[in-house]
Amino acid sequence: MSDASSVAGRPGPAQHAQSTHPVEPPGTAAAAEDSGAPAPRPRTAAVIPAAGRGVRLGPGAPKALRALNGTPMLIHAVRAMAASRAVSLVVVVAPPDGAPEVKTLLADHALPGSTDFLVVPGGATRQESVKLGLDALPPGIDIVLVHDAARPLVPVDTVDGVIEAVRDGAPAVVPALPVADTVKEVEPGTPGEPEPVLATPERARLRAVQTPQGFDRATLLRAHEAAVVGEGATDCAGLVERLGEPVVLVPGHEEAFKVTRPLDLVLAEAVLARRRANDGF
């Protein structure tokens, strides 16, 4: 089995690029502009790192494979990305020894036929896994979304808003919400012991970031290639910041929260129940 495998019954990304989305010959864009025809829209792929264990959710399967309303969170996250008509490929970065299992999981669930899916083995860290997902992208992808598998309920409007901001010229785009709580900067100490407060940041200047984060492909690749192993930022936007490139925020959504603790699973189940009642989701 190769390191990168397409889901059974769907073409791999190389086939996809050659047959469904042929590469344009030189001068095509210029000819379209001269003729007055609209230029081709940038193609978008989503990378979902799902190689983590998620220990805060307790013992059991990896976090991305935990069931939410009877369906693994990963499947919800993949469907959330594929719900955008702009996303033509979703790359799932599986646990290093779990790629066959994840490939079977995707094949066993109903996924949009208009989107291709690819599974690749991940690395020891999130940063390594995202880079492996980037390396698996075929030519012709201009915009890359990086999405947490643990944010299974992000609405498609949020996904589309991030993509549009990148299309409009931003090299890095992050969905975010204002911080509701007062935040304290502390001197970290022993867990469970009192910690001294160092400062109280101005809440109006703080935002809680979410995913998917969107990037110009070349910028994101350059950020990962420049990253120092062991000194990675907590998100891809942080790596782009280190390059000195601008990062902009767009409105996030309260349903794009991260499922990290057992109580989050309860909240996610409640959101799905409300969607079924209101929208037939």
Side-chain angles (χ1 to χ4, degrees), residues 11-72:
Q15 295 170 298
H16 181 84
Q18 293 169 3
S19 58
T20 310
H21 298 279
V23 177
E24 296 182 5
T28 300
E33 184 177 349
D34 291 342
S35 66
R41 294 176 73 81
R43 290 182 59 209
T44 301
V47 174
I48 302 180
R53 297 297 304 178
V55 294
R56 283 177 291 181
L57 271 178
K63 177 167 60 176
L65 304 185
R66 298 293 181 91
L68 179 58
N69 193 34
T71 300

Side-chain angles (χ1 to χ4, degrees), residues 22 24 37 75 84 86 96 124 146 208:
E24 296 182 5
I75 298 299
S84 171
V146 180

